Amino acid sequence: MSFALKYAPKTLDDVVIGSQTLKNRLSDYINDRDLKPLILHGGVGTGKTTIANLLPDAIEGKKAEVTRLKAVEFNSINDVMQAFGDQTMFYQVFTINDQKRNYIISNEINFTPKAAIAFRDVIDDMIGHTQFIFTTNYIDQVDIALRDRSNCLAVPPVTAKDWLFRAQWILQQEGIALPDDQLLKVLTTQLQVSSSNRKLLERLEDFVRSVRNPPSNPGGIIEVAPTPEPINPLMAA
């Protein structure tokens, strides 16, 4: 199993977040101090989708039921109304399974202009009981009125120091010990190439593989050089 799957965060506390501002704002949602729609934006692989998927569980204190949207499928007002027309009243009054809130998550919310107008009305009708969580790599392309209704939180790339504790834990699970300064070099080198958390996990996986199967021993088998037989002095004439 790849490290990206094996060590994928199970809870929001497992996610490597370097920004204290982002941590504080997420805490506001978890502690019911903020109910506005949330737009998480930033570069590829910084953890936006992971945070979006795990935030409802953190708010509920248990596994939450969520509805997932694909904004690319909403091209017109009719598309939006077909998706929400029968549910808006329910979401105004009830929550699923006695949850604190209902949850709707959507990645890359690049609605067409007409669909965006209809979706604004949906949000206004459902915001009392429904937590909307959106993610995007391109915040400037998101409908300006939707941005105005939402908290737009940047998810910046993390640093090697941010990753150190989690990376050491992963290596410990793999039975490998490495001093912090050496591991920081591995993490720093990778983050200079790509800020993606996925790529960093791939680098850790490659590192573990190289430790277990060094180039001089590609098969991972410990080879013992044969011991020469002792020379019998009586036979050495």
Side-chain angles (χ1 to χ4, degrees), residues 220-236:
I221 301 173
I222 299 176
E223 298 180 356
V224 180
T227 303
E229 295 183 6
I231 298 176
N232 187 336
L234 298 177
M235 301 293 293

Side-chain angles (χ1 to χ4, degrees), residues 10-187:
K10 301 296 189 298
T11 69
L12 196 60
D13 288 337
D14 294 336
V15 181
V16 179
I17 300 175
S19 167
Q20 189 59 49
T21 299
L22 177 58
K23 290 180 182 179
N24 292 342
R25 297 302 297 274
L26 293 175
S27 179
D28 288 341
Y29 280 91
I30 294 170
N31 293 295
D32 299 323
R33 293 191 294 265
D34 204 332
L35 302 174
K36 289 180 67 175
L38 174 62
I39 301 178
L40 299 167
H41 63 93
V44 174
T46 57
K48 302 179 300 296
T49 300
T50 300
I51 293 172
N53 289 336
L54 295 175
L55 180 58
D57 297 349
I59 294 172
E60 295 296 328
K62 62 181 181 180
K63 187 65 177 177
E65 289 196 29
V66 304
T67 299
R68 301 183 187 279
L69 301 180
K70 292 184 178 180
V72 69
E73 296 177 353
F74 295 92
N75 297 311
S76 67
I77 294 176
N78 286 337
D79 290 340
V80 175
M81 297 314 297
Q82 286 178 6
F84 290 98
D86 297 332
Q87 302 180 49
T88 303
M89 183 60 69
F90 174 87
Y91 281 118
Q92 288 175 350
V93 180
F94 302 103
T95 59
I96 298 173
N97 290 342
D98 294 323
Q99 294 181 165
K100 296 178 182 178
R101 310 174 209 172
N102 297 307
Y103 300 93
I104 294 180
I105 299 175
S106 179
N107 296 328
E108 286 307 336
I109 45 173
N110 297 326
F111 296 103
T112 63
K114 289 184 178 180
I117 292 172
F119 198 71
R120 296 172 204 163
D121 293 336
V122 169
I123 288 179
D124 291 342
D125 288 340
M126 296 169 58
I127 195 171
H129 287 79
T130 301
Q131 181 65 64
F132 290 88
I133 306 174
F134 308 110
T135 69
T136 181
N137 295 330
Y138 310 102
I139 186 65
D140 292 340
Q141 296 181 17
V142 176
D143 175 64
I144 189 170
L146 180 55
R147 280 184 274 159
D148 184 63
R149 286 167 167 77
S150 307
N151 286 322
C152 301
L153 301 184
V155 183
V158 295
T159 67
K161 287 185 177 180
D162 295 329
W163 253 101
L164 181 61
F165 180 82
R166 180 73 175 174
Q168 279 289 21
W169 179 82
I170 290 173
L171 292 185
Q172 289 170 10
Q173 306 311 301
E174 297 296 321
I176 293 175
L178 191 68
D180 284 355
D181 59 337
Q182 293 185 33
L183 180 54
L184 279 172
K185 290 180 181 179
V186 174
L187 299 174

